[in-house]
Amino acid sequence: MTVSRLIARAMPWAGLALLLSCLWIADAGAEEQGKADVVLRNGKIYTADPARSVKQAIAFSGNTILAVGDDSDMEKRIGPATKVVDLGGKLVLPGLIDTHIHPIIGAVNGAKCSLAGVKATIDALKPVIQACLAKDTGGADEWFEAAQLDNYGFQATAKDLDTIEAKRPIALDGNDGHTVWVNSRGLELLGVTAETPDPPGGKIARDASGAPAGSFADSAAIFVAEKIPAPSVEEQAALTAAELKKMSAFGLTSLMDAYVSPTEAKVWRLLYDSGELPMRVRMAIYVADPSDDSDKAVSRLVAASKAGDVDPDFLRSGVVKVFADGVMEYPAQTAALLSPYLDADGKPTDKKGELYFDPERFARLVQKLDAAGLTVHIHAIGDYAVRASLDAFAAAREANGDRDNRHQIAHLQLVDRADFARFKELGVIADMQLEWAKREPATEGPLEPYLGSDRYRYLYPAGSLHKAGAMIIGGSDWDISSYNPFRAFQTGVTRAGGSGQTPLNIDERIPLTTAIDAYTINAAYAMKQDKTTGSLEAGKRADLVVLDRDILSVDPETIQDTKVLATYLDGRLVYSAAEDEGSWWDQREARMRDWLHRD
Ligand SMILES: [Zn+2]
């Protein structure tokens, strides 16, 4: 398929945006008289304002909220051109914000041969991969890539992969986002040998002789990535645009791309330039070597961040992303722990994982980045990685005072009890992937025996962090897990994936309002956009979602089934669930017209 066809197929919203902006132009002039373009009334407006007040109605004009209040307060906002919508009691939330997501990587992965839902054994993978290969038109020496391998517990060598395909080089991407497997032909083309050292922050799996065995973890995956030609920037933009449209349908209006290399920065810029982004985007610039605390390295990051500040509303940076460690699941066990992993029988091993940086040099780097005004967003899984990250933030605080950079630690799979209170003390924000906190093969089999019950008790300690006063924000880490925020809400409050499931550490649940804050006002604070978004208050941007159910009162085990009826971004309707365009709104509009002309 040609790029232009891909873009045309993937960007129908560009046409929609144009149509909508014409509609708004027709309404221009309403604002001068204090009249609203749109009034939503007879609803339940959860404002996420400082009092967490709930109102009936909201009025906005252009991209700005004019008023939030009772239905009667809105009379004076309604003019002849005002679109008035009867919400019929429906719940409205501020537009939802995903503070840790990989839209471009996820969209590109989505176009690869998908191994999602396939059992991670060679026997089960074989027919799926071979079917993809049969359809693929690539040449004999062209890399073939499959993604979303459910890799927890998956151990395979290049020779094992040869039984699936021996001639063409193949690569399988694990869905933990940290590991890639190749076959023998692939290994040959990579040119990695027994003499090739592990790169900083990565591991080459090796056989007894030290020769590469076929899998590459974390930054070592670069050996594979740099051999496989990525889709062009235009192709990546087209795939991402299609995905952003789906995100609007889940109520997302802002996001932070948690890994932006120069390529991702180009893709976002292209999307921005090619029309309006249907999303507010903040780009976290990837720090390749977190032990490099040189002034040169710092100024490179500052320059990359500045280049990313394109539009204060829609495309910004001001944040860098660092990996402190890897993943905790057996057999990878690359997450850094304070005390050793246990063996399958519960006896301590000599393995504790390793930090991906030198803690002293990293602390100096954070200090310099903080002084330069950048937010530092750290991937930390193990309790040692979390502690080292907090130590670096403490050093920055000590040297620079509070620079209001709203630093963040993401994932927080295991946090030592002694560190809970430090988040509040240091103003460090906890970026939780709430949907991960449930019992499933990915958390039980490869974790529980290897951590022991004392540590397992504090897996994803959202409740403990919340009680210790930490600010909690939410991110999906898609395409590791779904970006449906209502699944995160449900798991956050039930600690289970569905009804009848045994919760994971039920004491670590959080109140639903805390989960909502994590995707609205607190997320906006972390994104440094709380002056304009995150709550529904007069003067802020009109980013809001209308839901099909009142999640504040329904059975918590049905929250994940929530459907978004409408998403407004910057005052524009970017998503409407009505199949026959506008019907849900039109019915209510008709009723409202009757109501207005009731005399
Ligand atoms: Zn991530």
Side-chain angles (χ1 to χ4, degrees):
M1 190 180 296
T2 66
V3 171
S4 59
R5 275 179 60 202
L6 260 173
I7 293 180
R9 213 175 63 159
M11 293 195 188
W13 52 264
L16 178 70
L18 194 70
L19 176 72
L20 285 167
S21 62
C22 292
L23 289 174
W24 295 131
I25 289 163
D27 285 348
E31 195 182 359
E32 286 118 273
Q33 305 125 39
K35 303 297 185 198
D37 291 333
V38 179
V39 169
L40 308 181
R41 51 184 296 158
N42 185 31
K44 182 173 177 184
I45 318 286
Y46 183 84
T47 62
D49 68 5
R52 300 300 185 270
S53 49
V54 177
K55 306 283 188 190
Q56 273 181 311
I58 182 165
F60 49 95
S61 177
N63 68 354
T64 306
I65 298 171
L66 294 178
V68 188
D70 295 334
D71 284 352
S72 57
D73 300 332
M74 299 302 145
E75 296 288 350
K76 57 180 177 289
R77 303 290 179 184
I78 300 173
T82 303
K83 182 184 172 81
V84 181
V85 178
D86 181 353
L87 291 169
K90 294 279 189 274
L91 181 69
V92 171
L93 295 181
L96 300 171
I97 302 173
D98 191 319
T99 60
H100 185 120
I101 183 168
H102 305 280
I104 300 169
I105 295 169
V108 170
N109 277 342
K112 294 176 191 166
C113 176
S114 172
L115 304 177
V118 183
K119 202 165 168 232
T121 63
I122 294 291
D123 283 350
L125 294 168
K126 197 180 214 167
V128 180
I129 295 171
Q130 287 179 342
C132 287
L133 273 162
K135 276 187 266 167
D136 196 275
T137 53
D141 259 349
E142 214 174 294
W143 279 89
F144 171 84
E145 226 180 338
Q148 289 166 296
L149 168 67
D150 187 9
N151 65 286
Y152 294 109
F154 182 64
Q155 281 177 295
T157 62
K159 288 198 178 68
D160 296 326
L161 264 60
D162 293 346
T163 65
I164 299 175
E165 168 63 34
K167 292 198 193 100
R168 209 175 145 183
I170 65 170
L172 313 183
D173 303 333
N175 74 353
D176 64 0
H178 291 262
T179 323
V180 55
W181 284 260
V182 303
N183 61 357
S184 298
R185 181 65 186 134
L187 274 182
E188 237 173 85
L189 293 178
L190 292 182
V192 179
T193 66
E195 281 70 49
T196 312
D198 288 349
K203 270 218 156 22
I204 302 168
R206 297 170 195 274
D207 65 18
S209 73
S215 75
F216 298 83
D218 295 307
S219 75
I222 190 78
F223 291 119
V224 185
E226 65 189 5
K227 292 284 181 198
I228 302 181
S232 69
V233 166
E234 288 77 11
E235 283 167 322
Q236 294 190 43
L239 292 166
T240 306
E243 206 61 52
L244 292 174
K245 201 181 155 219
K246 291 186 203 160
M247 291 176 196
S248 298
F250 281 102
L252 297 178
T253 51
S254 298
L255 59 82
M256 186 178 87
D257 184 332
Y259 180 108
V260 173
S261 72
T263 304
E264 277 86 26
K266 278 187 208 143
V267 174
W268 284 121
R269 184 61 200 253
L270 179 62
L271 283 168
Y272 177 81
D273 288 343
S274 67
E276 280 169 279
L277 268 179
M279 197 70 67
R280 303 183 194 280
V281 175
R282 194 178 187 208
M283 299 185 288
I285 308 293
Y286 171 55
V287 180
D289 182 1
S291 295
D292 183 356
D293 60 338
S294 66
D295 289 345
K296 211 171 134 199
V298 171
S299 42
R300 254 201 317 267
L301 290 166
V302 170
S305 165
K306 278 220 175 81
D309 283 332
V310 175
D311 176 324
D313 268 312
F314 281 93
L315 187 58
R316 297 177 302 132
S317 179
V319 52
V320 296
K321 160 70 176 290
V322 179
F323 286 91
D325 63 348
V327 293
M328 203 183 288
E329 285 75 14
Y330 178 85
Q333 297 184 329
T334 46
L337 299 187
L338 290 165
S339 4
Y341 289 95
L342 308 180
D343 65 18
D345 302 319
K347 301 254 174 351
T349 65
D350 56 2
K351 257 181 111 168
K352 286 165 81 172
E354 272 163 49
L355 291 179
Y356 284 174
F357 48 65
D358 171 88
E360 277 174 35
R361 298 186 69 181
F362 178 63
R364 276 197 298 273
L365 174 66
V366 170
Q367 208 174 301
K368 288 182 180 181
L369 294 168
D370 179 63
L374 294 181
T375 300
V376 180
H377 181 94
I378 306 179
H379 160 119
I381 293 275
D383 50 6
Y384 181 37
V386 174
R387 178 161 298 169
S389 303
L390 289 167
D391 289 348
F393 290 134
R397 180 64 73 95
E398 177 92 21
N400 305 332
D402 180 3
R403 304 291 295 263
D404 194 28
N405 283 322
R406 309 179 193 187
H407 302 302
Q408 301 150 22
I409 304 178
H411 308 323
L412 300 163
Q413 195 163 350
L414 188 63
V415 182
D416 190 81
R417 266 165 286 187
D419 288 325
F420 290 148
R422 297 179 74 200
F423 283 78
K424 187 181 181 200
E425 276 163 34
L426 296 166
V428 174
I429 301 168
D431 194 334
M432 310 287 302
Q433 285 56 57
L434 295 170
E435 208 210 323
W436 295 358
K438 59 190 177 193
R439 286 184 176 275
E440 55 177 4
T443 55
E444 283 170 89
L447 277 178
E448 195 162 12
Y450 305 101
L451 290 178
S453 55
D454 288 352
R455 288 185 290 191
Y456 195 74
R457 151 73 186 84
Y458 287 107
L459 217 56
Y460 304 114
S464 292
L465 286 164
H466 175 57
K467 280 179 216 124
M471 176 182 279
I472 292 177
I473 59 174
S476 62
D477 208 6
W478 184 79
D479 63 336
I480 309 272
S481 45
S482 157
Y483 50 66
N484 176 356
F486 304 100
R487 282 173 68 162
F489 291 172
Q490 175 165 334
T491 317
V493 301
T494 63
R495 303 283 293 186
S499 60
Q501 292 186 12
T502 309
L504 173 73
N505 310 335
I506 189 68
D507 292 343
E508 296 298 341
R509 68 179 180 259
I510 52 172
L512 178 59
T513 46
T514 303
I516 296 173
D517 285 354
Y519 271 84
T520 57
I521 188 62
N522 288 353
Y525 175 86
M527 299 264 286
K528 288 193 178 177
Q529 59 178 55
D530 51 314
K531 285 205 173 73
T532 51
T533 69
S535 62
L536 300 174
E537 298 175 79
K540 283 196 168 184
R541 304 283 189 268
D543 290 5
L544 48 110
V545 288
V546 184
L547 307 184
D548 74 338
R549 69 195 68 196
D550 178 3
I551 59 171
L552 295 157
S553 64
V554 297
D555 175 355
E557 294 194 331
T558 63
I559 293 173
Q560 68 182 7
D561 305 324
T562 301
K563 296 275 175 292
V564 170
L565 298 173
T567 304
Y568 285 89
L569 168 71
D570 218 38
R572 288 186 293 119
L573 184 65
V574 289
Y575 171 74
S576 163
E579 268 179 12
D580 121 19
E581 190 58 41
S583 73
W584 184 82
W585 301 96
D586 292 343
Q587 286 164 18
R588 272 152 193 82
E589 235 190 328
R591 261 195 278 151
M592 180 52 59
R593 239 177 278 121
D594 293 344
W595 181 85
L596 281 170
H597 302 293
R598 63 196 182 282
D599 308 330

